[in-house]
Structure formats: structure tokens, C-alpha cells
Amino acid sequence: MSFNSFGRVFRFTTWGESHGPAIGAVVDGCPPGLDLSEADIQPWLDLRKPGTSKFTTQRREADEVRILSGVFEGRTTGTPISLMIENTDQRSKDYSDVAKAYRPGHADYAYDAKYGFRDYRGGGRSSARETASRVAAGAVARAVIPEVDIFAYVSEIGGDAIDYANFDASQIGQNPFFCPDPAAAARWEVLVDGARKDGSSIGAVVECVASGVPAGWGAPLYAKLDSELAAAMMSINAVKGVEIGDGFAAARLRGEQNADPMRPGKDGPVFLANHAGGIAGGIATGQPIKVRIAFKPTSSILIPVETVTREGEASEIITKGRHDPCVGIRGVPVVEAMMALVLADQKLLHRAQCGERAGD
Amino acid sequence: MSFNSFGRVFRFTTWGESHGPAIGAVVDGCPPGLDLSEADIQPWLDLRKPGTSKFTTQRREADEVRILSGVFEGRTTGTPISLMIENTDQRSKDYSDVAKAYRPGHADYAYDAKYGFRDYRGGGRSSARETASRVAAGAVARAVIPEVDIFAYVSEIGGDAIDYANFDASQIGQNPFFCPDPAAAARWEVLVDGARKDGSSIGAVVECVASGVPAGWGAPLYAKLDSELAAAMMSINAVKGVEIGDGFAAARLRGEQNADPMRPGKDGPVFLANHAGGIAGGIATGQPIKVRIAFKPTSSILIPVETVTREGEASEIITKGRHDPCVGIRGVPVVEAMMALVLADQKLLHRAQCGERAGD
Amino acid sequence: MSFNSFGRVFRFTTWGESHGPAIGAVVDGCPPGLDLSEADIQPWLDLRKPGTSKFTTQRREADEVRILSGVFEGRTTGTPISLMIENTDQRSKDYSDVAKAYRPGHADYAYDAKYGFRDYRGGGRSSARETASRVAAGAVARAVIPEVDIFAYVSEIGGDAIDYANFDASQIGQNPFFCPDPAAAARWEVLVDGARKDGSSIGAVVECVASGVPAGWGAPLYAKLDSELAAAMMSINAVKGVEIGDGFAAARLRGEQNADPMRPGKDGPVFLANHAGGIAGGIATGQPIKVRIAFKPTSSILIPVETVTREGEASEIITKGRHDPCVGIRGVPVVEAMMALVLADQKLLHRAQCGERAGD
Amino acid sequence: MSFNSFGRVFRFTTWGESHGPAIGAVVDGCPPGLDLSEADIQPWLDLRKPGTSKFTTQRREADEVRILSGVFEGRTTGTPISLMIENTDQRSKDYSDVAKAYRPGHADYAYDAKYGFRDYRGGGRSSARETASRVAAGAVARAVIPEVDIFAYVSEIGGDAIDYANFDASQIGQNPFFCPDPAAAARWEVLVDGARKDGSSIGAVVECVASGVPAGWGAPLYAKLDSELAAAMMSINAVKGVEIGDGFAAARLRGEQNADPMRPGKDGPVFLANHAGGIAGGIATGQPIKVRIAFKPTSSILIPVETVTREGEASEIITKGRHDPCVGIRGVPVVEAMMALVLADQKLLHRAQCGERAGD
């Protein structure tokens, strides 16, 4: 396996720098015969497009995807699907200070230590724009798993959480925060605007639910569904924590409090709780899969922070240019895309090993 | 890639069921010429051995490892290293009830849904004993990364946390809880004993620190160090959450609070904080790597829980036999082993890509 | 991917040195529910067992396989299957001269150059005995592809070829050469015995046919069926050439001579020829798959050959001990095993990607 | 691992259909700091460009490569390198007959059996144009292995072989056949022109030599250098046979005839022969690596061949349009590219495992 690929059968490789001519992804292992066109992918990118509100980055991008291969007469051929998004708005001049000093919290110093030099423009490859290719690849994945419904939302910004009693899924697309609680959305408008005006940034928590996953997907141990989800989510820029089901809250419970009892039902057992978040022993139980993801506040801020130059001298850094005060918000479509990508791969893996299962 | 292997260059595959004749691991890609014998591996297994305190499972095991290949005259040959541990204590009769009904929280139901049947003895492959092979493999990994120091400890049981002001690393091996705070250890004795007497179980949080990792290991995106660590830790039985550095706490901070400022130092920059937990943009910064892992309480309890039989009828289940009231405790050596395994792989990957780096 | 694993979904990893305590394989990704026991594997190893004729190595081995995991109540569980064969006959003392000088044609010099030292006993890991683990793994693979019939035979020894007009498959198991032409078998008795008496060795060509492979297995390009078969066969010790169908003979033909015309048939097209050897564009056509493999004569001979010592001084080497005058003969069960292993993997890969194909 | 990627650390994934908008490759794992620009890649594509002689396809292509990522200020960054070549000359109308019937020898029938339908335009993905992306990726690989010199040539067309006594490497680029023997080149002019006029095609044999490979690259067994080379070459369109060193000729020799004796030399042993073709036990010996590849005659010919339609009715097929009478000629740059790609990967793998070898 190389460094920049993800998945085992349904596999994607992304490429592209934030300030290079284009970014893209190659999706491999997609089953043939699925309907696919740019129109199936573009909406998911538009959901992600900056400039839609003052709360996200002020970069104006078309983010228009092209399918360069793998589709014929509107259906996937089973061969690699190459997706490309050209970078139309790159304003490199905003980053002149950055070339000389390391931005604390960014990968600058680590990059230099690894590679000996770095592409200082924007975030190079570890920038949030790389996620556009993931969102595009995720749209292809969704075509593989029509039986699954995926949605994500922001549940917390800067420690201010939604009230689950007010949870209204239909509200998620109705505000700039992907927030299912209108009262929280109103508070966040003040909170995030405040951070932006201070030239600061703020962290967030995103939750993602996948319903309709049949019991059985996943495999015990290393291709475990929860393990793969953890890797997928942690690979998103700015993510510092991943939970499945109750997560760290489960660590504070007793066994009988954490159990998910079962009762007989018409089409299989009915679960009375879902502390496990839909995954037990690395395999889907049939219950909704619940993942919770922590986004740290971005380090690209206007408040000066002590740093060193490449030559090792003391310096301060202010990252000018256009930035997200809350990258977690833009993480929502990316989280959904990663959920889709992992589940598509798991579906095909399950089919590979158990397609002709001889049962009891 | 298969289902039960982990790593890209330094790779290990585990095998074996809890109640089968043996368990083991094959470690591949190990550099040649490293000193290795059973004596280098056995101590790590002994650290894990049940029966050392009344707080862990009452199974008596030799857990004696044999090296069957890959070593010649006391040094690794570079060829696959096969490790085997024979199961000497298996008391299958404790599991007769389990064959008929699903234990909520265990993988029983999910396993059946995937495979059509299951090996009901103990936890089969998703049992905690499988971790013995990981601990053995981890010992081999440590030989690859002598420059790194790894230690883990329990920081919280059932919501009762250590006091970092009382942190004393030398205490970790001095109590049955791998606890660095003697006061907390005393409280936990009561807490865990209570859970055991109630026939219940209790969750825990484990923290792991790796010092001496040179800046540069890791790669941006999918072979990201934090992504690989997340996958590795989430793959441990009963883990439901993983954090790097501040984790979910970072989600509540502002950018300037979360920053890790740098000052010039003799041998490279000196960091003034480590909110990032030693990893930025997927690459090690040279700071200690900090990972925090949430263990849920085991579902193997004596308190009856509603469930269904294989035929779909209502039932109750009590899991008799010998069980850990707190599996998180036994998770400590496993967490250390996984940290070693990931770092060994990352070291070799870094060497592969950047061994002859042409810098500035 | 590591160094010593093969396959993508149905994957096996071998381990073990010729003169170590044991050799074995871990087979991963096997579908669950298949009948499997030692009795299904042992016959294939016995077919391979040395000492059955004076024409193969005079090592006496039990070559008894044990299944250590992955099987429960006689059926595969879907978890990794660990196979082990203990080495009972190792006579290390035969190899004392070898420690000091390099055997030309063996990997000795190359091994030293790579690893800095080598396990000189027997062939270490590149010995022919390692193939026993492959044969065992191949037996598991056969359980995955019951629709396929595989057989291999020796078609040529030392340039002396069989007469296809006398081809009688039932003869293959009736002589020590896996030869389908009794007249050739009689000639080979003289040829091989002569090489043995001269202390020399002789090369061979093995052909393998797999019938019943449904059209469609394989994928264009890198997971191409012919590419995977080439890798699999070339990985066998002493193999120096692989052909599919007409192979090098096709290079001498014109297009219309090499074509495989088709006519309508009851259950799909009927092919009028099979120059392609059952594979076109990397995908099975439904015709018998035909592979031809060249084995060089082993370098372990009694005739002195110029070489150098580890210190770089001129020397001569005679490899005493017990050796095959014609390793190609023992290659037959290994070739069949590799065919089975590749086809099992390709079947699962095809199922993964095309299990629910939406056609025209 | 997916279907369309090759390599383990230095890895490339190709995409693109012959008649789609573009073709390309993503190269991953490339060491950073290497000089790379379009000017380093374009010459290798030009060498391959059709229309340079009447003996190759009459498609007029610019075949101009663009580097879309992974390079900054003229050097590789270590991140994925995306290469793209736009298709400027596609004349789809030549293929209207092909949509209805299967071309014998092409993958048409097999494709349909696998996927349920196919992209009939040109050869879709299994077309020879896909190799342009490989040649581009191969140019990147060459930058990783500056110590290695690679060249390939045609040694035989339609059974008519070069005379090694007349071998003149400087002649290879001086005729349309990559032929090192001027006398043979003159004969081939007649031979190939005849095939073209007959509307037929003709097979060829290509040989490739890599010098300067240090002893030690490669690994025993599955990442064996010869195994990887076999897979790489067999994956090239129209290849039906691969040999290393003496190949099938070795099968006719005795041990002492096939031996490569060694004598002491100033910088390590001097080999007196190279029957092994530079590889022993899967590891490079330091001698030139020699591979021989058989290309079948293409099935795209004007001579009618019996076939069936998609509906199963008898038919005949003539493949109009523009075609190579001898695809083996165009295979030469592709063979060189695959040699470079495998060696680059092997170099990095060797560095990964043995970079800090503790020797004797």
C-alpha cells in the first residue's frame, strides 16, 4: 500500500496541492453498471463550496468536477474513475510570509523535517482543499451503497452543544452550520462571527450517522469497520479525536449500563439501545452506525504566535489570507464522504468473502 | 490486502482462536541483524498475564512464546518471524449457554449475520486473548525502534480519574492498575472489586506516550501517523474512542489556546506546548506522541440482560466463566504494543521514501 | 504489502526456514462455511513428499500438517487459517562447507549482499521445502474453487519432450515424473538417473491446465489473471520462464494464425482454438487456462564450480548432502497449488467487484 | 490492493480509456527532492509516439504530458505526482462494427462476461494507448534509480531473429524497429510491410537489460524481483511470455552448464557467466538483469475471422481503423518503463528493510 491511498477493494487515491493547477482522485474497484455522471457528484461539492456564508473561507471557487475515465454512456465501466477539479482561485501572494517561518500547529515544521523542504503555498497537500477530492470520491461511493443513508451535522462549536431534545434533521441544511438545533444555530452565529472578528478560530464536534447498513459488514480485527472508520476520520485535516457510539462516555459506565439488550422482532432482533454505535467486534450489527469527530481550531489565525524561522531564529507569525474560523463546519460533507467510502469498501469486502455463505 | 494484517512494510498477521490449540503472529518486513530471542518477548507477555491479581481474569496461562522462524544465531534474518503461543487452559465447558443465545455487546449476533455461524467458545477470535499475539509482535517492533521510549498507563476507571499533580511514572508497575497515582490506585481497588462482586464490569481510559520519535516520521494523509494510530487502537477489543493530544478538548478551544508555539533551541526548535500530541499534518513533530484510548465495560457480566436466541426467541443471558471486570487494565500492554507496531512501520516507510533526501 | 504475502483478498503468508523447527502458512480471507480438515490437505503434501522415488531428494519427511486456527467443527470460520508442518529431518551437518563459500546459482551471494549475513543451513528460506507451505495453502484454495479442475504435468526434461499424440492424463500419477507419455517416462528414467550419477542436475518444463474457470474472472491490467499467474509461477524456486497459451511461439505467428475464432453454441460461444491459453486482456475467456513453466537445473551439484569465499578468496564448491537432480519434478504440485491460490483470489475479487452486476 | 495499481512503496495507478478525454497516472511514494519536469518525461513519450514510421499506427497524437501535482519549483515534493495526457485524436467512427460483435483475441467477450457490457471504442482500457501513462510513470521512476541504466530492443520479429554477433547498441534508435542489428532491420522492413499490406499482423520478442543494479535489491519469495518483473511485463497488452536470463533454454541444460561461476575481483566477486539473468533467489546479484518478453500478433486485423455477435449469432469480423501490424515494436519503451518502475519500487523496499543493516 502506498501513502496516499485508502481502501482495500473499493479504493481511492487523491492527488493535488491546494495551489497547484488541479486536484483530483482516482477511484478504483467500483462495480460496473452503476449510473454515474458529473451531475451525481457536483451537488456534494457545492455543499462544500466556500463563500456560501461569511462563516467559511472567502475563497471563490467553481469546484467543478470532471469525470475523465471509468464511465461510458452514463454508467461505470468497472475501470478506474478519474475525477479532476481545476483550481481557479489561488492567490499565492497571500503566503509570502509563510515561506520563511513555520506556522505553529501546521505541518510546516514536520514537513521540513521529513522532506527537507516544503511547498509553502497554502497548506500544500495537507490543506483543507484536498478534501474536495474526497467529497468527489465519496459521491462515487454513495452509488455503491444505495441501501445506506448517511447524514452528518455539527453537534458542538467551541464547547457550546446542541440540545438533542430540539433535534430536527430537516434544519441541517437550513443554516450555515449544518446544525439540527435552530437555537444553537443562532448562538453559533454570534460565537463564530466573534472568532472571525478576533482573527481567531474555534473548534467543533461533528457527528455522522449511517442507517441501513446490514448486519454483517466489516470483519473482526484489522479490517474492522470501526478501525477503518477511525483511520478515515482521523485522516481528515484538523481531526484530533474519533468516537464510535458512546465513545469516551462508555469508559465511565458499568457493563449493565452499556449493554444493548435485544428482543425478538419480525425481521430479526430488535435492539433496545445502541451504546455500541452500530458496531460490535468490528462488524455492523444492523443498528445505525454513529461516529463522533473532534475538530481542533485551525492554526491559521491573525493572532501572533511565537515561532522560529527555517534558519532557527525566533520570530512571530500571523497567517494572513483567507481562512476558515471554524474548519469543523466544512468538515461535515467530508465526514459524510469518508463514511460512504469506508462503507462501500466494506460492502465489497463482505461480498468477496461471504457472497456464497454456507450457513447452518 | 487481507482482513487480518496490519502495517505496510513492517507488517504483522495474527491468527488463532481463544479456545483453539494455539494463537500466534507472523511478523514480516523486519530488518535483519537485530538481536531477538524468546527472552526479548516473554517479559511483555508476562506483564499481560492474567492471574497476577484478583482484578484481572482468573485464567491461568503460561502464555509462553516460541519463535519458529526468522531468527538465526540470535539475530533476525529479515525473513518472516513466526511466533506461537500454545493455549494451555481452555475450560470450554463454561460456555455452553453461550452457544444458544447472543451475548449483547459481544460480536455474537454480528458474527452470525456475517458468517452464518460462529465459534462460540470464549470470544472466538474477537476475544481479548488474541491480544497476546499482538503483544508478542509488539516486542519484535520495539527492536526496530530502539530510539523510542513507550509507556502507557490507566488514567481513569469508571469516571474516576488520576490527579496529574500526583503523577509518578515509577508507580505504574507497582499496583494492579498500571496507575501512576497511588491515591487513585487505592480508590480503584474498591471500585473494581465492587464491580467484580456485583458480577458487573467497568470502563477505563488508557493513555500512551511515545518519546524520542524523530520529527518527520509519518506522511501526509492516508499513511498519516495519527490515522494509523487511530486504526491500531480502535482495533483493540472493547475500544470505542481514540484521541491524539488534546482530542475532544481541543474542540472546545480557540486557535490561540490550542497553538504550540516554538522558540529557537540548540538542536532544533523547542516547543512551548504540545496540544497536538506530537503529530501535525500526519507527521511527527518530534514532541512526545500522546494518545488516549477509551475502553468500554465488557459485556461478559453476571447480571442478566435481555437477548434473543439463534431461533429468534426471547431469552436472558448470564455469561458465566472467568472474566475481566475491567478489560481496560489488560489493555495497557496491548496499547503499548500497537504503538510500537505502528511506529516501527512508520520508521521503515519514512526510510523508504526519504532515506536519501536531497534537502535545501 | 509486505514481502512474503501473496494475493489480494484470498491471501496467504508463508514462513519458515528449511532447517528451522517448522514451516507454515497463514491463509486469510477464506470464505466461511467450507469443509476443511487436515485430511483435505495432507494428500497434496504426500504427493510432494520426497523419498517416494530415487529420482527425488532422499530426505525422509513426515510433512504432516496441523490446522491451528480458522476451522471449527470441520468448517472454515472465515478467520485466518494457520497451517504448520514440523521439520523432522534436518541433518544440518551436510552444510558445513556451504557456510564459508557461495554456491553459484544459489541466492547465497545475493543474500549476503542484501542482509549482511545469511542462514546457510540448506537453502534457508529460498529452499524448495518452503514450497510445502504453499502446497498446504493451495489445498485450502481448492476448497474455494470447486468448479475448477487443475492438473499439471512435466512436458519436458533436459530438452526431451513428450509426444502430445501419446498424451494420457491417467498416466500422470503412474510414474515418478508426473509424465502423461509412458514412452517419455521411460526415456526420462535413464536421463535423470544419469544426471544423478554424474552428480549433476537437469532442467524441466511443467505445464498446468485449469478447466472450468468461468469467463469473467480477472481484471484488466494490474490484477490481470495472466500477470498474477506469472508472478505466482516465477516466485517458485528455480523458475526462469512463464508462458500463457502459445507463449513465445505466438511471437512467431501472424495474426490470423494466432486468432481464436468463435462460433455460436448452446451455452455461449464455442471457441475453435485456444492460442490465448484461456486469458484475453487479463480476463478469463472460459477456455482452459494453460500455463507453461521453465525450471532451471538446480545449482546444488557435486561437480566442482569456481566460486569465492565470504572473504573474497578463490575457491571451489561441491554441494554435498541430499539433492534433487531435477527440481522441476517436485515443482508439479507446487505449480498446481499456485494456480489454485491465484484462481481463488481472482474468484473473490470478481465477486467483490461484480457480484451484483447490472448488465445490459 | 485494488485492481489497477502496481508497486508496494513506489506505486502507480493508471487511468483512462483509449477514446476517453484523457489518460493518466498517479505516482505515489516518490522520494522528495528529485528534479522533475515535463521535459524529463516528454522524450520518453515521443519515443513511443505513433506516426513516426509507416510501421506503427497511423494515429496522430501529440501525447503531451502535464504534471498536475507533486512537483514544486522543479523538484518532487514527496506527495502524489499526477500525470495527464489528453487524447487529441480519437476517430470513434472507425469502431462501429466492433460494438456488435466480438473481436477474437481481444478482451471483448471476456469483458462482457465480467462486466455485462463494455466500452467498445478502440480497446477501451486494454488498448495499447494506456501504455502512454505507463511510459510517463516510468520516466518518474528513472529519476529514482539514476544508478541504473536500462535499454530494450526488439530481438525477433515473426521468428526472424537478430544475429548477436552483429549486436550494435547504437543502432537501436536508428531504425523503426529498435533493432540493434542493421541486417535484421533491413529484413524486417520487408516482413512487417508485407504483414501490413496483407491486413495481417505479426509477433515479436523484446529483450530488456538493466545494468548497475546493486546486488541486494529484491527479497526472497513474494516480493521477488523476478516475480515482480514477470507480473509487470505480463501485464503489458499482448504479452504472452516472460523469461529471466536463459529462461526456457535453461530448462534444457545441466547444472554445470547453467552455473554462473565466480572469481575474486577488486570490488567483489566477478561472475564468469550470467545464465541467471542477474537474479538469484529473487534478489539481484549485481549482474545485468536480463528479461525477454514475447508479444503475440495483434488481433486487430483486416482478414476476416469467425466470431459471434452479442446475441450469439454467427458472424465475421474485420477490424477496420488504424492498427499496428507489430505491436511488439511499440512495446519497447513500455518494457523499459516497467523495468524502471519495478526497480524503483525494489530500491525503496530494500532501503526500507535494510537501510540500517547490522552486518557481520
Side-chain angles (χ1 to χ4, degrees), chain D residues 50-106:
Chain D
T52 44
S53 86
K54 63 176 175 174
F55 298 106
T56 56
T57 298
Q58 294 311 308
R59 293 182 68 187
R60 306 228 156 281
E61 294 275 346
D63 265 1
E64 229 178 86
V65 68
R66 285 179 65 197
I67 299 177
L68 299 176
S69 67
V71 173
F72 180 57
E73 292 180 349
R75 290 186 299 169
T76 55
T77 58
T79 58
I81 299 168
S82 178
L83 308 168
M84 184 170 80
I85 299 165
E86 307 215 44
N87 287 346
T88 58
D89 177 19
Q90 295 166 32
R91 278 198 255 171
S92 279
K93 57 174 159 42
D94 285 334
Y95 288 95
S96 46
D97 288 340
V98 176
K100 305 194 190 66
Y102 299 123
R103 291 167 293 179
H106 274 265

Side-chain angles (χ1 to χ4, degrees), chain D residues 272-351:
Chain D
L272 304 185
N274 190 16
H275 295 283
I279 304 173
I283 304 177
T285 60
Q287 292 231 73
I289 291 170
K290 298 186 166 179
V291 186
R292 202 161 165 267
I293 300 112
F295 283 84
K296 69 169 192 177
T298 179
S299 316
S300 300
I301 57 181
L302 288 165
I303 297 167
V305 179
E306 280 191 75
T307 185
V308 298
T309 63
R310 294 205 80 203
E311 291 72 36
E313 294 165 3
S315 180
E316 260 189 0
I317 192 155
I318 296 172
T319 315
K320 288 181 281 205
R322 305 157 292 169
H323 303 282
D324 270 322
C326 182
V327 294
I329 299 171
R330 296 191 67 188
V332 167
V334 186
V335 161
E336 291 185 353
M338 298 311 289
M339 175 71 84
L341 285 158
V342 169
L343 289 177
D345 192 38
Q346 291 284 326
K347 173 176 178 175
L348 300 190
L349 277 174
H350 176 65
R351 184 198 283 173

Side-chain angles (χ1 to χ4, degrees), chain A residues 7-11 27-32 34 78 140-141 143-147 214 216-218 340-355, chain B residues 3 114, chain C residues 9 29 347-357, chain D residues 1-3:
Chain A
R8 289 139 202 277
V9 176
F10 186 88
R11 189 178 188 78
V27 179
D28 197 6
C30 185
L34 305 179
V140 179
V144 180
I145 48 169
E147 63 269 61
W217 290 9
L341 286 157
V342 169
L343 289 177
D345 191 38
Q346 292 283 326
K347 173 175 178 176
L348 299 191
L349 276 174
H350 176 65
R351 184 198 283 174
Q353 199 191 18
C354 304
Chain B
F3 301 133
K114 180 175 185 75
Chain C
V9 175
K347 173 176 176 175
L348 299 191
L349 276 173
H350 176 66
R351 184 199 281 175
Q353 198 191 19
C354 304
E356 290 169 18
R357 184 162 52 74
Chain D
M1 215 188 263
S2 66
F3 302 133

Side-chain angles (χ1 to χ4, degrees), chain D residues 2 11 30 87 103 115 143 151 160 205 217 229 291 306 325:
Chain D
S2 66
R11 190 178 187 78
C30 185
N87 287 346
R103 291 167 293 179
Y115 291 124
F151 70 98
D160 183 327
V205 175
W217 290 9
L229 285 170
V291 186
E306 280 191 75

Side-chain angles (χ1 to χ4, degrees), chain C residues 71-93:
Chain C
V71 172
F72 180 58
E73 292 180 349
R75 289 187 301 169
T76 55
T77 57
T79 58
I81 298 167
S82 178
L83 308 169
M84 185 169 80
I85 300 165
E86 306 214 44
N87 287 346
T88 57
D89 178 20
Q90 293 165 31
R91 279 199 255 171
S92 278
K93 58 177 160 40

Side-chain angles (χ1 to χ4, degrees), chain A residues 1 114 116 198 200 218 256, chain B residues 1 114 200 218 231 254 256 357:
Chain A
M1 214 187 264
K114 182 177 185 70
D198 293 344
S200 181
E256 63 278 14
Chain B
M1 213 184 265
K114 180 175 185 75
S200 181
R254 278 209 162 188
E256 63 278 13
R357 184 160 54 73

Side-chain angles (χ1 to χ4, degrees), chain A residues 1-3 114-116 134 198 200-201 218 223 227 231 240 242 244 254-256 263 276 306 350 357 360, chain B residues 1 3 8 114-116 198 200-201 218 221 223 227 231 240 242 244 254-256 263 276 306 310 350 357:
Chain A
M1 214 187 264
S2 66
F3 302 134
K114 182 177 185 70
Y115 291 123
R134 295 201 215 193
D198 293 344
S200 181
S201 61
S227 188
K240 300 304 282 186
V242 180
I244 308 282
R254 278 211 163 187
E256 63 278 14
R263 276 190 193 152
E306 280 192 75
H350 176 65
R357 184 160 53 74
D360 236 5
Chain B
M1 213 184 265
F3 301 133
R8 292 140 200 278
K114 180 175 185 75
Y115 290 122
D198 293 345
S200 181
S201 61
L221 287 153
S227 187
K240 299 304 283 187
V242 181
I244 307 282
R254 278 209 162 188
E256 63 278 13
R263 277 193 193 147
E306 278 192 76
R310 295 203 80 205
H350 176 65
R357 184 160 54 73

